DNA sequence: GTATTAACGAGAATGGCTTATCATTCTCGT
DNA sequence: ACGAGAATGATAAGCCATTCTCGTTAATAC
């Protein structure tokens, strides 16, 4: 009687390309951006695979969702230290921003409990400024 | 020959109710929230009318759009002084937050030009905390 | 009051992003 | 090399916020 071994995750070129694209970017990427990057390595890659793996990588804690105002969700490696984001109004890319003003919770009105916060800077990135 | 007089805007109960709801709320409202509030005054009011008037009030500068991460657009009176927002994770309402840490632009990396910024606090509002 | 026509209400249609379906391909333990 | 079934790719379907259509209502000028 053959043992039934449950394979939870297989190593595929697609998944490797997706993870590689995400790590190389070093900034939050939209599903479309992930697709475009990963297609350099795996030409036929489809958008469904991107979404499937985003969901999988999220649930295994490898990936983290970044929600930006008025835009689609973006994703970056989980486990990065506390940071914020810069949204370029020209190229629509989002970049990580180090540091935090601190003392942000004190802005909340009395009785409001602050669990976390997000700061988003808008403007033009270095590339679009030059 | 009757003169052709162009009426640009009529005073309707619906529009009055919408503006009233927005001013009373004193916080950014979603189209659905505006609808719910205004229906207290005008029961039959439809969602299309809400969107129509949002668009109109926006273009005449009376209303201002507030985009929140991972949510639908909200709207509040234009002309309010610089402030930020608190998003209650329990009731999903958004509140205004006075004050600003300042010195926020200095967070941006060299070469990045900051035009504006938004700070969003997450947690539980006073009502949901008690 | 009457005519004009902006504004309304209900529901259909649109447009995006995301998820589901399913036949096919590919990984991996044996 | 083989076989089970996980993963993929193409596309259909689902979701939803927003916009459009159109017959009806009602605000304004006279």
């Amino acid at each position: 009687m053959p043992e039934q071994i449950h394979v939870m995750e297989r190593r595929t070129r697609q998944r490797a390309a997706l993870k590689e694209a995400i790590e190389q970017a070093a900034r939050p990427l939209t599903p479309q951006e992930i697709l475009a990057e990963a297609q350099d390595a795996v030409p036929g890659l489809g958008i469904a695979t991107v979404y499937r793996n985003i969901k999988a990588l999220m649930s295994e804690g490898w990936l983290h969702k970044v929600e930006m105002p008025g835009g689609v969700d973006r994703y970056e490696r989980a486990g990065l230290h506390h940071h914020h984001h810069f949204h370029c109004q020209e190229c629509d890319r989002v970049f990580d921003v180090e540091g935090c003003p601190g003392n942000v919770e004190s802005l909340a009105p009395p009785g409001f409990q602050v669990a976390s916060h997000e700061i988003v800077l808008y403007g033009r990135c270095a590339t679009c400024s030059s």
Side-chain angles (χ1 to χ4, degrees), chain A residues 10 22 31 38 56 64 72 77 84 96 104 108 113 116 130:
Chain A
R10 290 181 176 175
I22 291 165
H64 177 241
V72 303
R77 281 268 357 218
H84 294 300
D96 285 353
V104 179
Q113 300 178 338
S116 61
S130 57

Side-chain angles (χ1 to χ4, degrees), chain A residues 22-121:
Chain A
I22 291 165
E23 294 196 307
Q24 288 300 311
R27 65 185 184 81
L29 299 180
T30 64
Q32 287 297 337
E33 287 176 325
I34 295 174
L35 175 65
E37 288 299 317
Q39 281 183 332
D40 290 345
V42 184
L45 199 148
I47 188 64
T49 298
V50 174
Y51 280 105
R52 262 191 299 257
N53 279 286
I54 284 176
K55 182 182 279 186
L57 292 171
M58 288 272 285
S59 62
E60 68 184 63
W62 190 90
L63 198 60
H64 177 241
K65 181 192 291 187
V66 178
E67 301 183 330
M68 298 291 289
V72 303
D73 292 340
R74 294 156 199 269
Y75 301 87
E76 68 183 352
R77 281 268 357 218
L80 302 177
H81 59 283
H82 184 67
H83 67 281
H84 294 300
H85 298 101
F86 181 104
H87 188 165
C88 180
Q89 297 172 313
E90 189 151 324
C91 65
D92 202 41
R93 290 183 299 177
V94 172
F95 301 86
D96 285 353
V97 165
E98 301 306 317
C100 176
N103 200 35
V104 179
E105 0 254 75
S106 65
L107 295 177
F112 282 58
Q113 300 178 338
V114 179
S116 61
H117 68 272
E118 172 69 64
I119 297 178
V120 181
L121 305 181

